[in-house]
Amino acid sequence: MHELSLAQALVRRIDEEAVKAGLSKVLRAELRVGPLLGADTGLLAEAFRCASEGARCAGADLEFSPGPASAVCLVCGGVYVPRWGDTRCPHCGQTEPRILEGADLILAAVTGERDD
Ligand SMILES: [Zn+2]
């Protein structure tokens, strides 16, 4: 399941950030979801709850917002915003883009309680 493996990677990344920031408990994580990732944020939040058990980020709230997306057409060189399920170039109609960004889950911020 796509969302479960994303959630497991996310737990590791959030805990890494928490350690760097000296947080003993993560309360909130802000995420930018690339439109080409094709992830269901509801399923991802659910998978995160399971995957984060026992981690610093257990029980943390996830806040999702759309991430940036762009692609360059390998046929005509046009740069455009690709969409999930339709990455066709709007300039020439070809489907050979190189995705520049938009297929990632970006961890934008982590907030929580500090170690004393
Ligand atoms: Zn094109």
Side-chain angles (χ1 to χ4, degrees), residues 10-108:
L10 189 58
V11 167
R12 282 195 297 272
R13 273 168 60 197
I14 293 176
D15 269 24
E16 269 172 32
E17 288 304 315
V19 169
K20 273 191 231 163
L23 303 174
S24 56
K25 183 173 171 54
V26 177
L27 299 177
R28 207 166 65 112
E30 289 173 35
L31 301 159
R32 306 272 180 275
V33 185
L36 302 178
L37 185 64
D40 181 311
T41 53
L43 288 177
L44 183 56
E46 211 170 283
F48 177 80
R49 270 198 295 279
C50 301
S52 65
E53 233 169 85
R56 279 172 198 247
C57 59
D61 285 325
L62 299 184
E63 254 183 41
F64 297 105
S65 59
S70 64
V72 59
C73 175
L74 296 180
V75 177
C76 75
V79 175
Y80 60 99
V81 177
R83 288 177 301 156
W84 172 245
D86 180 13
T87 55
R88 246 178 324 158
C89 173
H91 307 292
C92 71
Q94 295 300 307
T95 52
E96 290 179 53
R98 186 159 66 86
I99 303 299
L100 301 175
E101 55 182 353
D104 309 306
L105 186 61
I106 301 166
L107 182 57

